């Protein structure tokens, strides 16, 4: 589940367990409050004199300067808010309450730093709540970049809703399904269709599953295999393409970079933007890329292992595995270009606007780099590539994506109305349905911004503390591995990739910047981008295979495969890909200082060997002899 934990997850949790977890959350908050109160009450008279010139937080909760640096007062205890968010997200399987409690914990801790005089418990609590709401939440919402993220995320969701409602996306998949005439082609067609519906993982599941299900039944391929392919091309594809995921990923990277710059950015990050870090981290997202490779290998080699092989054998002997029945979603008979044109417009417009907004600054940066000898002009190709990199690095990503999304939305709306595919009422209903699916993600995003704001340079200064205390403890080359592992565990336990990214990404970016500064200069950017890629793709792991993930549930429902069968048959493949990604990507590339393509190449080779050695072709049922009697 990319946006929020499955809402019914607590329904399966024992009531006594929920009560214990609720008391645990209260205890965490109480400990932070008591510690803060004791710190505030123990301040000396000299600090009280200073209070005459400092506004108290109970009257002005927005962010007054700290009287004493938080890192001096709390040390590593400034990590309590993000750790609280992680633990509660795992225990409660709900990200929104976890982030809310974490923001409150941060506010309670900062009250002891901001308030010079002694306050009673009621005044202290009121001040902390006001600081959390008026200082952190409101502060996150009034940021102009954050407002643009919210706006273009909703607009992209509306565009996706329109092209789903007018039948365009379904028509694209149906057009491709005609090529699927055997088992190999059927699986490859589904994989390729998943790549085409790259802009949203929900749309991927709900369109490709019902469309390809009759094809798989006809070809006698198990619905468990269909659910696996649909799930493997949902989150892994959406996380590395331009679509509904882009805003969250770039925003979380940007929050981490802000913390790094506030604490004093190392020289190698000069001029590195969140957008640039996003794109350069894609080759290091080994799990997402190798998960797509695994689907192709299984389809081409026609070999399976584990429970999937049994499911394939049953499908060959029967007519498929019918489990959770779900009627095929009905939509108007659209044309393929109803979807292709708006998506193409969005991609092309985004690229054009990125080049336009970064053109002058990028060329100036390129000229300066050439003059300083940082770039050597050897060929037309290298010059063009270097200029493009500099231009994109200086581009305004938020503005570019915003106007590209608006243009794509208008094009989708115009096509739908001009061709009379839908009435105005139905078009707006489709757009609002698409936006509604995005709303829970925006709630998580705003809370994550608030927590990041509370951890910034004017508040808990988490970035400074993390670099100061943790940089000398953890070997830099092992950071991507541990970051991937932490993100994978949190995302699998919570079932949310977006929640995991919002909790861990800013901290991972901060640690990556601090540790990368300690390695030789040629390895610094590689290590940083590898860390960014690891936290983002580790979050995808849980979205891909957690049984409480929305996309896992939707994949099983859309394919009419029971959730238990889907999780059980997919898990060996997901764990295999995760293990190969860690060994050939995070460990091999970092320990031996190899580029990302080496890890991907070695990882692909390892997957080929595993499928050939462990996998077996399912035994086909004997064809019935033709009836020769008259």
């Amino acid at each position: 589940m990319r946006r929020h934990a499955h809402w019914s997850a607590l329904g399966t949790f024992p009531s006594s367990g929920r009560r214990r977890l609720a008391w645990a959350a209260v205890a965490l908050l109480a400990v932070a409050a008591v510690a803060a109160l004791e710190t505030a009450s123990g301040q000396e008279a000299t600090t009280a004199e200073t209070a005459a010139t400092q506004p108290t937080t109970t009257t002005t909760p927005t962010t007054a300067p700290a009287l004493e640096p938080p890192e001096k007062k709390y040390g590593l205890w400034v990590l309590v808010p993000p750790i609280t968010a992680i633990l509660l997200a795992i225990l409660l399987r709900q990200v929104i309450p976890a982030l809310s409690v974490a923001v409150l914990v941060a506010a309670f801790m900062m009250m002891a730093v901001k308030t010079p005089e002694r306050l009673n418990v009621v005044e202290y609590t009121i001040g902390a709540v006001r600081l959390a709401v008026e200082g952190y939440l409101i502060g996150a919402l009034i940021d102009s970049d954050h407002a643009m993220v919210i706006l273009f995320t909703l607009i992209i969701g509306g565009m996706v809703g329109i092209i789903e409602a007018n039948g365009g996306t379904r028509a694209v998949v149906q057009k491709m399904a005609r090529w699927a005439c055997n088992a190999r082609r059927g699986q490859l067609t589904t994989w390729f269709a998943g790549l085409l519906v790259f802009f949203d993982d929900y749309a991927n599941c709900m369109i490709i599953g019902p469309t390809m299900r009759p094809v798989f039944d006809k070809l006698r391929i198990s619905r468990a295999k269909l659910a696996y392919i649909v799930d493997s091309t949902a989150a892994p594809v959406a996380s590395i393409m331009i679509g509904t995921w882009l805003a969250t990923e770039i925003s979380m990277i940007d929050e981490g970079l802000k913390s790094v710059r506030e604490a004093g950015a190392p020289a190698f990050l000069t001029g590195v933007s969140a957008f640039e870090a996003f794109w350069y981290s894609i080759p290091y997202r080994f799990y997402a890329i190798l998960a797509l490779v695994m689907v192709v290998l299984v389809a081409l080699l026609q070999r399976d292992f584990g429970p999937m092989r049994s499911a394939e054998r049953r499908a060959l002997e029967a007519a498929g595995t019918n489990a959770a029945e779900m009627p095929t979603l009905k939509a108007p008979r659209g044309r393929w270009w109803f979807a292709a044109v708006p998506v193409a417009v969005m991609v092309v417009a985004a690229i054009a606007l990125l080049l336009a907004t970064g053109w002058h600054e990028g060329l100036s940066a390129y000229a300066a780099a050439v003059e300083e000898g940082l770039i050597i002009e050897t060929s037309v190709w290298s010059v063009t590539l270097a200029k493009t990199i500099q231009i994109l690095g200086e581009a305004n990503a938020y503005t570019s994506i915003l106007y590209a999304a608006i243009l794509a939305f208008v094009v989708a709306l115009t096509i739908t109305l001009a061709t009379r595919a839908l009435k105005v009422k139905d078009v707006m209903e489709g757009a609002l349905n698409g936006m509604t699916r995005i709303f829970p993600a925006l709630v998580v995003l705003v809370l994550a911004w608030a927590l990041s704001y509370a951890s910034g340079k004017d508040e808990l200064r988490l970035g400074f503390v993390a670099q100061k205390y943790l940089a000398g403890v953890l070997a830099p080359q092992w950071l991507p591995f541990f970051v991937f592992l932490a993100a994978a565990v949190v995302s699998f336990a919570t079932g949310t990739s977006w929640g995991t990214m919002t909790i861990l990404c800013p901290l991972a970016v901060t640690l990556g910047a601090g540790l990368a500064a300690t390695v030789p200069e040629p390895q610094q950017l590689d290590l940083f981008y590898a860390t960014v890629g690891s936290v983002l793709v580790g979050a995808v792991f849980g979205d891909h295979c957690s049984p409480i993930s929305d996309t896992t549930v939707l994949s099983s429902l859309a394919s009419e495969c029971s959730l238990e069968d889907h999780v059980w048959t997919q898990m060996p493949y997901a764990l295999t890909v995760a293990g190969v990604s860690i060994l050939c990507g995070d460990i091999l590339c970092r320990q031996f200082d190899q580029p990302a393509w080496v890890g991907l190449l070695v990882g692909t080779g390892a997957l080929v060997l595993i499928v050939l050695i462990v996998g077996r072709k399912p035994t086909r049922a004997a064809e019935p002899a033709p009836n020769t009697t008259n």
Side-chain angles (χ1 to χ4, degrees):
M1 173 185 63
R2 60 165 205 243
R3 301 178 177 103
H4 58 288
H6 192 48
W7 294 110
S8 62
L10 281 177
T12 61
F13 205 80
S15 59
S16 60
R18 291 199 299 271
R19 286 195 297 269
R20 287 195 296 269
L21 294 179
W23 282 113
V26 173
L28 277 172
L29 186 56
V31 168
V34 170
L37 284 169
E38 289 179 353
T39 306
S41 63
Q43 292 186 357
E44 300 177 356
T46 53
T47 306
E49 293 176 1
T50 311
T53 60
Q54 298 287 349
T56 63
T57 310
T58 53
T59 56
T60 308
T62 55
T63 49
L67 300 177
E68 183 180 357
E71 68 273 12
K72 184 177 179 181
K73 182 179 292 293
Y74 291 119
L76 281 175
W77 286 102
V78 299
L79 295 173
V80 167
I83 291 175
T84 300
I86 294 170
L87 293 178
L88 288 181
I90 292 174
L91 293 174
L92 299 177
R93 293 180 173 85
Q94 293 285 333
V95 175
I96 291 177
L99 287 171
S100 301
V101 171
V103 172
L104 278 175
V105 169
F108 268 87
M109 294 176 68
M110 281 307 299
M111 277 294 293
V113 178
K114 290 176 175 290
T115 308
E117 73 274 9
R118 297 178 62 178
L119 300 174
N120 60 44
V121 174
V122 175
E123 291 175 332
Y124 194 96
T125 302
I126 292 174
V129 172
R130 292 192 63 194
L131 178 61
V133 175
E134 299 175 38
Y136 300 152
L137 283 175
I138 303 292
L141 285 170
I142 63 177
D143 184 277
S144 60
D145 286 344
H146 294 172
M148 279 196 285
V149 169
I150 293 172
L151 186 57
F152 73 64
T153 301
L154 287 172
I155 293 172
I156 291 175
M159 185 270 291
V160 171
I162 291 176
I163 63 177
E164 286 180 24
N166 66 21
T169 314
R170 189 179 302 278
V172 171
V173 179
Q174 288 174 340
K175 195 174 186 66
M176 292 185 55
R178 300 172 187 172
W179 187 73
C181 59
N182 56 44
R184 180 177 286 108
R185 284 190 173 190
Q187 295 176 54
L188 290 176
T189 298
T190 307
W191 176 83
F192 190 66
L195 298 185
L196 289 181
V197 190
F198 61 83
F199 42 83
D200 184 72
D201 52 341
Y202 278 11
N204 185 304
C205 295
M206 300 310 296
I207 292 171
I208 295 176
T211 303
M212 296 302 297
R213 188 175 61 239
V215 178
F216 270 52
D217 287 347
K218 179 181 178 181
L219 297 174
R220 294 198 294 182
I221 308 172
S222 70
R223 292 182 181 178
K225 177 67 74 64
L226 173 61
Y228 161 65
I229 298 175
V230 169
D231 209 354
S232 297
T233 56
V237 172
S239 66
I240 58 178
M241 297 289 190
I242 296 178
T244 52
W245 283 56
L246 185 64
T248 298
E249 292 180 296
I250 292 180
S251 178
M252 289 301 100
I253 296 172
D254 192 43
E255 292 301 316
L257 287 175
K258 287 179 181 177
S259 298
V260 171
R261 294 191 177 102
E262 289 167 355
F268 76 90
L269 283 181
T270 302
V272 175
S273 65
F275 185 76
E276 185 177 355
F278 170 84
W279 288 114
Y280 277 95
S281 71
I282 290 178
Y284 297 96
R285 303 190 200 183
F286 299 107
Y287 178 80
I289 297 173
L290 292 179
L292 296 173
V293 171
M294 184 67 166
V295 175
V296 175
L297 294 177
V298 169
L300 287 176
L301 299 176
Q302 290 292 286
R303 290 172 177 265
D304 292 287
F305 56 87
M308 185 69 77
R309 187 185 173 209
S310 300
E312 286 294 279
R313 185 172 59 249
R314 291 195 301 269
L316 290 172
E317 296 171 352
T321 304
N322 294 314
E325 291 297 328
M326 172 180 168
T328 301
L329 299 178
K330 294 183 179 180
R333 291 182 59 85
R335 299 183 180 181
W336 65 269
W337 53 271
F338 286 5
V341 172
V343 173
V345 166
M346 182 175 68
V347 174
V348 172
I351 295 173
L353 288 170
L354 286 169
L355 294 174
T357 55
W359 187 266
H360 296 293
E361 292 82 357
L363 292 182
S364 299
Y366 171 80
V370 171
E371 185 176 344
E372 295 175 8
L374 300 176
I375 296 178
I376 301 176
E377 298 177 326
T378 57
S379 65
V380 175
W381 167 252
S382 64
V383 169
T384 303
L385 180 61
K387 286 183 177 180
T388 303
I389 291 172
Q390 293 291 338
I391 290 170
L392 292 178
E394 298 294 333
N396 189 326
Y398 292 158
T399 301
S400 302
I401 298 172
L402 173 62
Y403 285 102
I406 292 174
L407 183 59
F409 182 91
V410 171
V411 169
L413 183 68
T414 304
I415 288 175
T416 306
L417 295 178
T419 58
R420 298 182 179 179
L422 294 173
K423 297 179 181 179
V424 175
K425 176 184 176 182
D426 296 328
V427 172
M428 298 314 299
E429 184 178 351
L432 290 176
N433 286 338
M435 293 181 183
T436 301
R437 286 204 314 241
I438 299 292
F439 183 75
L442 295 180
V443 175
V444 173
L445 198 56
V446 170
L447 288 171
W449 285 332
L451 181 58
S452 178
Y453 192 72
S455 305
K457 73 168 185 177
D458 295 325
E459 304 301 308
L460 289 175
R461 293 170 60 86
L462 186 146
F464 175 83
V465 174
Q467 290 187 42
K468 178 181 178 181
Y469 288 95
L470 300 181
V473 176
L474 186 63
Q477 291 78 8
W478 288 98
L479 181 61
F481 163 68
F482 284 110
V483 166
F484 174 83
L485 198 62
V489 170
V490 173
S491 62
F492 184 84
T494 61
T496 165
S497 55
W498 282 28
T500 302
M501 286 188 288
T502 55
I503 293 171
L504 292 181
C505 190
L507 179 59
V509 170
T510 302
L511 286 176
L515 291 179
T518 65
V519 302
E521 185 175 350
Q523 303 175 18
Q524 291 176 340
L525 276 176
D526 286 340
L527 178 59
F528 177 73
Y529 293 141
T531 304
V532 173
S534 293
V535 69
L536 295 178
V537 81
V540 169
F541 173 81
D543 194 296
H544 183 202
C545 59
S546 174
I548 59 172
S549 163
D550 271 3
T551 48
T552 302
V553 174
L554 288 177
S555 298
S556 65
L557 288 176
S559 306
E560 291 191 10
C561 168
S562 70
L563 179 61
E564 294 79 7
D565 283 346
H566 173 42
V567 173
W568 184 246
T569 54
Q570 176 175 256
M571 190 64 68
Y573 291 178
L575 292 176
T576 298
V577 173
V580 171
S581 300
I582 290 173
L583 293 175
C584 301
D586 296 325
I587 294 179
L588 173 66
C589 291
R590 298 282 59 83
Q591 295 300 318
F592 298 95
D593 190 24
Q594 297 297 314
W597 65 266
V598 172
L600 292 173
L601 187 61
V602 175
T604 300
L607 290 178
V608 170
L609 291 176
I610 291 172
V611 174
L612 287 175
I613 295 172
V614 181
R616 296 289 185 273
K617 291 186 178 182
T619 305
R620 289 185 173 275
E623 295 291 342
N627 188 2
T628 57
T629 60
N630 293 323

